[in-house]
Amino acid sequence: GFAKIDTERNKRTGVPEIIYGEGKTAEQIIGIVEAMLEKQNNILVTRVDSQKAKEVRKSLPQLHYDEVSEMLLWEKNPVAKTIGKIAIVTAGTSDLKIAEEAAVTAEAFGNSVVRIYDVGVAGIHRLFARIDEIRAAQVVIVIAGMEGALASVVGGLVSSPVIAVPTSVGYGTAFNGMAALLTMLNSCATGITVVNIDNGFGAGYSASKINHLAEAAK
Amino acid sequence: GFAKIDTERNKRTGVPEIIYGEGKTAEQIIGIVEAMLEKQNNILVTRVDSQKAKEVRKSLPQLHYDEVSEMLLWEKNPVAKTIGKIAIVTAGTSDLKIAEEAAVTAEAFGNSVVRIYDVGVAGIHRLFARIDEIRAAQVVIVIAGMEGALASVVGGLVSSPVIAVPTSVGYGTAFNGMAALLTMLNSCATGITVVNIDNGFGAGYSASKINHLAEAAK
Amino acid sequence: GFAKIDTERNKRTGVPEIIYGEGKTAEQIIGIVEAMLEKQNNILVTRVDSQKAKEVRKSLPQLHYDEVSEMLLWEKNPVAKTIGKIAIVTAGTSDLKIAEEAAVTAEAFGNSVVRIYDVGVAGIHRLFARIDEIRAAQVVIVIAGMEGALASVVGGLVSSPVIAVPTSVGYGTAFNGMAALLTMLNSCATGITVVNIDNGFGAGYSASKINHLAEAAK
Amino acid sequence: GFAKIDTERNKRTGVPEIIYGEGKTAEQIIGIVEAMLEKQNNILVTRVDSQKAKEVRKSLPQLHYDEVSEMLLWEKNPVAKTIGKIAIVTAGTSDLKIAEEAAVTAEAFGNSVVRIYDVGVAGIHRLFARIDEIRAAQVVIVIAGMEGALASVVGGLVSSPVIAVPTSVGYGTAFNGMAALLTMLNSCATGITVVNIDNGFGAGYSASKINHLAEAAK
Amino acid sequence: GFAKIDTERNKRTGVPEIIYGEGKTAEQIIGIVEAMLEKQNNILVTRVDSQKAKEVRKSLPQLHYDEVSEMLLWEKNPVAKTIGKIAIVTAGTSDLKIAEEAAVTAEAFGNSVVRIYDVGVAGIHRLFARIDEIRAAQVVIVIAGMEGALASVVGGLVSSPVIAVPTSVGYGTAFNGMAALLTMLNSCATGITVVNIDNGFGAGYSASKINHLAEAAK
Amino acid sequence: GFAKIDTERNKRTGVPEIIYGEGKTAEQIIGIVEAMLEKQNNILVTRVDSQKAKEVRKSLPQLHYDEVSEMLLWEKNPVAKTIGKIAIVTAGTSDLKIAEEAAVTAEAFGNSVVRIYDVGVAGIHRLFARIDEIRAAQVVIVIAGMEGALASVVGGLVSSPVIAVPTSVGYGTAFNGMAALLTMLNSCATGITVVNIDNGFGAGYSASKINHLAEAAK
Amino acid sequence: GFAKIDTERNKRTGVPEIIYGEGKTAEQIIGIVEAMLEKQNNILVTRVDSQKAKEVRKSLPQLHYDEVSEMLLWEKNPVAKTIGKIAIVTAGTSDLKIAEEAAVTAEAFGNSVVRIYDVGVAGIHRLFARIDEIRAAQVVIVIAGMEGALASVVGGLVSSPVIAVPTSVGYGTAFNGMAALLTMLNSCATGITVVNIDNGFGAGYSASKINHLAEAAK
Amino acid sequence: GFAKIDTERNKRTGVPEIIYGEGKTAEQIIGIVEAMLEKQNNILVTRVDSQKAKEVRKSLPQLHYDEVSEMLLWEKNPVAKTIGKIAIVTAGTSDLKIAEEAAVTAEAFGNSVVRIYDVGVAGIHRLFARIDEIRAAQVVIVIAGMEGALASVVGGLVSSPVIAVPTSVGYGTAFNGMAALLTMLNSCATGITVVNIDNGFGAGYSASKINHLAEAAK
Ligand SMILES: Nc1ncnc2c1ncn2[C@@H]1O[C@H](COP(=O)(O)O)[C@@H](O)[C@H]1O
Ligand SMILES: Nc1ncnc2c1ncn2[C@@H]1O[C@H](COP(=O)(O)O)[C@@H](O)[C@H]1O
Ligand SMILES: Nc1ncnc2c1ncn2[C@@H]1O[C@H](COP(=O)(O)O)[C@@H](O)[C@H]1O
Ligand SMILES: Nc1ncnc2c1ncn2[C@@H]1O[C@H](COP(=O)(O)O)[C@@H](O)[C@H]1O
Ligand SMILES: [Mg+2]
Ligand SMILES: [Mg+2]
Ligand SMILES: [Mg+2]
Ligand SMILES: [Mg+2]
Ligand SMILES: [Mg+2]
Ligand SMILES: [Mg+2]
Ligand SMILES: [Mg+2]
Ligand SMILES: [Mg+2]
């Protein structure tokens, strides 16, 4: 009825349709998921609060709910993980939700992920302590709120592609992520591309595309 | 004196330092280039208007000036081009300068580039006419001003990573590229990452990083 | 007392006064409706949440409440529907409320409406599957949130007037509909006019005016 | 080479491709026009300053340059004008350029136009003096800068569709047309749709579409 | 303790200190009022919601709470009202709260007020029906949300000073009053001055100053 | 032809139409002035740069050009000046142009003006040195750029109505007058109303209306 | 696990890491505090609402909760207070929370603080009554919302460094502190530096650094 | 005449009045300087382009013009320099003008300055190479455009007060310094205060105040 599911997307873009949970009712999500179960190997629903997740899981108990990333997940046949890694680096502990959204997305699409959290530039030695792990990754996702300076610092230290995710962490002139977004778009460290504020999912998805390109070379 | 050239950048990030020409005098550019000539295989200076380029070339005639992209270039030893391609797709003919900035940058770092210009969504059949070439590329750069809708359409049709570049083409509420930027950051087609308005250079640079990762697999 | 109802509006503009429900108390709405019941063939109240609708319907049970569009409606004498159609096209399922606000408004003013929902550009084949229905309409309303690119694509494919409605669907830099609004105002596909964010009512109303002009020719 | 002309546009959308002159060189415009001359009945180039127009006309003397609207025009076979009229109403004398862009566009597509200029709300009796002419039109275009209140007043007085064009006339918080744009998008007089700031062309084009729908009924 | 009451203000500016209730606790308001009771003839507290008003009135039952304007009031000795009038004109019924804030303030400072509500430009005949009353006033306050065009229309029709108050009524691009504010600041009808969004109090206060200047002449 | 002069304005609003010179050609200004010369006692043209003024004065040498305020002026019969005064207070010497626009406008409408310039809050003793003159005025115009704090300080010290004019003096986050405008709209000193950025004319005009009301009482 | 505490910060920057409480769960705060208790002499947690504070204090009852500043505090060994003082000056009583955040922070780092509250420019004599105390301080923190003019006035009267804190007090165009922030950044009184909106903590911290530099001279 | 010079400022604030050159004519500058020569030991005029400087120096040849900082300077009696240092750190070579404005200002008020230029985070080893010099300073000024991340990195590494200056270097979403400003206001490294975009002068002035406080301790 109300939704046209894009079941061809996998063929066309290499990745199946993902459901954007915000602003949809539990019933709408259930309807869409049911129509997908047959045709897709993975089901991902993003931005689902715990209350709505509960309601969805009454009808669809096979879906797993990840509390931190607020995602609903289901995997028909387990996918092998890549050798090459996606490093996910955050500035603070408040960026956890978005980081996990990126991580869970990337893992759902068969990537190995390494988590390097709370290494923001206010204490830059924490970053240097783990820089080798970051440099070893095929793709790096940098996640930061407030002023988002971590993206520039990481961008200046690694040779792999860097995807930056501004988060809405902060107050006042942080403007719900605008300050971090502008930082990332204007980074003097070239080689950084950017996604929407709090879009951990998009970063995980793009990083997966790149990592799979690289994986073929392993 | 006044400039600390980052001669280690190549080792650290895989790409040498590039000079940002805007707001620098011809003398400053000459000074920085001279300090680099010994140590780098490529010299790239971005955003140099033709008048300033002329002055720089009086002292450094070996630099080539590309009129369309407004870049100064020099290559010590020719670099082999990749088998895999970077597709550069533009919405209109007014996006040419930025498209060439991306193309010339990518070529300077050893990439094969395919140019697909003026295929904006107002006449979407023009895009479909060339969609196979776009799909064949390892990485796609989409460049558009005004409302920038081309990025979403391409993003929904290809499986490779897409880097979107908003341009300042347009007037009124185009706000010098803001309309296109917001379009690209909010694209309903996932897998798109974005760079600053008019930053063809950054897009070419990031695409090169990804293409070289993929190339290893060839 | 507190409200001067514009009972002449029908004569002057061809359409009766419609009540903007937001920010009005149930009592105020009841007072205004009562003063209108005698003089108008249609009563429309927009943006009434279900709680407030309930209170109003205690005094005025003859009003119908449409749950999806959140409108209160009453029609004295049924109006014949037009032969020519208004096509209402949405990008996603989250645009439903606004789409129905447009549809219900248009129908209340005697228009035939065809609903084409969830055909956004991320899966553009869904749009092409229904393009003939869209092309057959006298007027097309395109409703989209996030980046709103659907308006440009439709605008490039049809010859009838297109009215675009940005919705507040999205997060971060979607800025509650600003991204979609800017897209629509700057569309490279000419022939698109735009209404306020989430203003399904205004789009339905304007489309009705155009459709009735065209209808005379049938 | 560099431009893909959309020669199918006429078939698809009922109107041929129009050239956006801003940011294009005279050579680019000449190239595009030459490729179109064979295939289209009308050539329109918008936003061409007088200097550039001169250069274009050296190669293409058959193009007519309209000084006020800054458009280049050419018509192969004269098109008959409609019986129904498009009224173009401006608030001040400073809105002339944009008003003529709308008028010339509408006339080029075969519409009869009535010009009602400098009747802004500071002296509202000027508007009432001509309200009958405005009411007699099939479509009304209202053009205003500064605070743009004229659109609301006209919108409350006519029954035909109203297209509003904000202009960049004004200073300070007029923000180059933003104040007028917001006024028009938020008009309490329903039935108004809006185009980009200074987009007289788009308004003339959309009005033409509507007027031709209505004309069939004459 | 925590507050330095400006008991000299009356002498200095002709009007006593007024308490801004928003963001203050009931206890803070009680403390400030108690310190003022002795020294001032009027107590006014603005922006007090009904819950907080209740708490304040437990300690200070002599204060009157005006439900519509959300003000707390107390008057030691009744002040005679002016012969000259302040006209308060609103566009819609949703502007009531702000209009009453202005009216109650003006009356508290001894002014005669005439209320002319819901005469917005969508039905301009409602305004003309009462224009003589408006013209008879010494000062006119125009209050409007959405696009705020009423201020310009009134400004073009009267010879007395006009104070315009934008309200936060509206949605989408009304931006909580910004659209109306910009309209009022850019009005083509000269002789309009403007106060902050929703600042009915400030408008009533300024109008009172002007009206008292004029009153001396009666 | 192109302009409808509002010759009734004087009767309706007590003040004749004033010509907004910006964006008009010298020919347009000449045409409008000629149509007014018969009917109005005063001609005022605002925002005319010296080059355009020269051209206008070739045809209309009786117009006087005021270099500082950039206004063109003509007065048929001298008007007597008021006893009550308008004080014009500026923060810095850079606000001179706008201050004189206000002063010249006020004088043209028969007001006595007292100029108190360069008394900004960085050296607040300069303000106190002249506070008695300011307090003696019937109306006070405060003109300031940068942060515009002077308006609040004056507003807290006088009992007459205060009209504040933000100017575009400043750089960076002064945002061409926005910082000063926001200061003035949010002033904690009540009784301040505000006009558009750099609108000295509007302030002079409004102050004149108020001063004439007060004058009747002398 | 999830947080890397920056235990070296004291050595590196002279002040220990402070916990930003907003957006962290009680559990996360407890975890971080426990890891710090051993290593730091002071524990400070900012922006903790009373509910969350209660939960934290169940596990960590030794933490003191300051209701006004909404901070959690703990001090191992009492630090001696400086002879030189930090003056904290506020415009209104609504700025109390932010002022106390600054005061409590400064005291925690061993500074003597003098509080001078509610002396805004609407009643400037209140400021002059206490100007000697302000002038006697080594550093001055000025805290104001609405238009924030107090910073400029104080800046023009003292010779010590001034740190200005805009607060989110106000409504409408106060834009949650933006108006005050712009005032402070554009102050015509030089020698003022600014921190983020509502960042009392940052101001107290910076003032402490300066005061300790000065203290060495006592 | 037109300017009230604040000759008491030195006594009141410890520093003499400085002339803001932008928007003033050469004649106005000359007039103000002449009035100051007698009373002040230092004359500083900021933001004077070379053309205007030339004109001023025709009348006042004793003024020195500093080409890089675009300042005019004059010193009656040489002031001894402090032992403690102000470190001025820039991200790029394009920040030179603003850096020198800060440096020249600080030196004019008797401070020793150490310049550490072009050490931005894209090549962070350049910063570490000079970190000891920065740490040795009493006060640090960090100057950066684009994304301004350098301020956060330096802020996390030093114990002295840090004043950050955003510059307008950059393009697109750098928004003439807004991106860098937001970064600096939201820095996760506490202890940073900020001045207006491109306000090197203000930073030099504030740093001087702090350095002189510290100097007393030497
Ligand atoms: N067009 C460009 N857009 C964005 N960044 C650039 C551009 N050209 C050069 N860059 C980067 O700018 C930095 C050079 O800054 P600078 O030291 O001022 O020359 C380097 O990190 C370059 O990679
Ligand atoms: N003044 C104008 N404003 C908005 N769109 C225009 C204007 N002139 C032409 N166009 C549209 O811009 C597109 C042409 O873009 P381009 O390929 O860059 O020439 C076409 O779709 C035209 O319909
Ligand atoms: N400097 C000015 N700022 C604002 N409004 C002005 C100014 N000068 C003239 N006006 C007003 O602008 C209108 C004239 O517009 P126009 O018909 O374009 O000349 C009149 O209503 C004048 O009262
Ligand atoms: N209220 C506050 N405003 C700004 N920064 C803060 C605040 N409270 C703590 N911080 C800083 O925020 C950082 C802590 O971030 P996190 O790791 O998320 O706890 C530290 O660098 C603190 O110095
Ligand atoms: Mg942390
Ligand atoms: Mg084209
Ligand atoms: Mg969908
Ligand atoms: Mg006019
Ligand atoms: Mg109404
Ligand atoms: Mg001065
Ligand atoms: Mg107070
Ligand atoms: Mg550099």
Side-chain angles (χ1 to χ4, degrees), chain F residues 91-93 118 126, chain H residues 4 17:
Chain F
T93 53
D118 195 26
R126 299 176 298 185
Chain H
K4 310 282 154 306
E17 181 166 359

Short mmCIF file of all heavy atoms in Angstrom, two decimals, chain F residues 91-93 118 126, chain H residues 4 17, ligand 10:
data_model
loop_
_atom_site.label_atom_id
_atom_site.label_comp_id
_atom_site.label_asym_id
_atom_site.label_seq_id
_atom_site.Cartn_x
_atom_site.Cartn_y
_atom_site.Cartn_z
N ALA F 91 27.24 56.86 18.42
CA ALA F 91 28.31 56.21 19.17
C ALA F 91 29.68 56.63 18.66
O ALA F 91 30.60 56.86 19.43
CB ALA F 91 28.16 54.70 19.07
N GLY F 92 29.82 56.72 17.33
CA GLY F 92 31.15 57.00 16.79
C GLY F 92 31.11 58.00 15.65
O GLY F 92 30.03 58.44 15.23
N THR F 93 32.26 58.36 15.15
CA THR F 93 32.31 59.29 14.02
C THR F 93 31.95 58.58 12.71
O THR F 93 31.59 59.21 11.74
CB THR F 93 33.70 59.93 13.90
OG1 THR F 93 34.66 58.89 13.86
CG2 THR F 93 33.99 60.83 15.08
N ASP F 118 29.51 60.94 18.58
CA ASP F 118 30.75 60.32 19.08
C ASP F 118 30.80 60.23 20.61
O ASP F 118 31.80 60.58 21.22
CB ASP F 118 31.96 61.10 18.53
CG ASP F 118 33.28 60.33 18.68
OD1 ASP F 118 33.24 59.08 18.72
OD2 ASP F 118 34.34 60.97 18.74
N ARG F 126 31.76 60.77 28.15
CA ARG F 126 31.38 61.70 27.08
C ARG F 126 29.86 61.81 26.96
O ARG F 126 29.32 62.85 26.64
CB ARG F 126 31.96 61.21 25.74
CG ARG F 126 33.48 61.14 25.73
CD ARG F 126 34.00 60.57 24.43
NE ARG F 126 33.53 59.19 24.22
CZ ARG F 126 33.92 58.42 23.21
NH1 ARG F 126 34.78 58.89 22.31
NH2 ARG F 126 33.46 57.20 23.10
N LYS H 4 34.67 63.22 19.64
CA LYS H 4 35.02 63.46 21.06
C LYS H 4 36.10 62.47 21.43
O LYS H 4 35.79 61.30 21.65
CB LYS H 4 33.83 63.20 21.99
CG LYS H 4 32.54 63.84 21.64
CD LYS H 4 32.52 65.29 22.02
CE LYS H 4 31.52 66.01 21.11
NZ LYS H 4 31.74 65.85 19.65
N GLU H 17 43.23 55.60 23.79
CA GLU H 17 42.30 55.35 22.71
C GLU H 17 43.05 54.99 21.43
O GLU H 17 44.07 55.60 21.10
CB GLU H 17 41.40 56.57 22.45
CG GLU H 17 40.41 56.27 21.34
CD GLU H 17 39.24 57.25 21.21
OE1 GLU H 17 39.13 58.20 22.00
OE2 GLU H 17 38.43 57.03 20.30
MG MG I 10 35.10 57.88 18.49
#
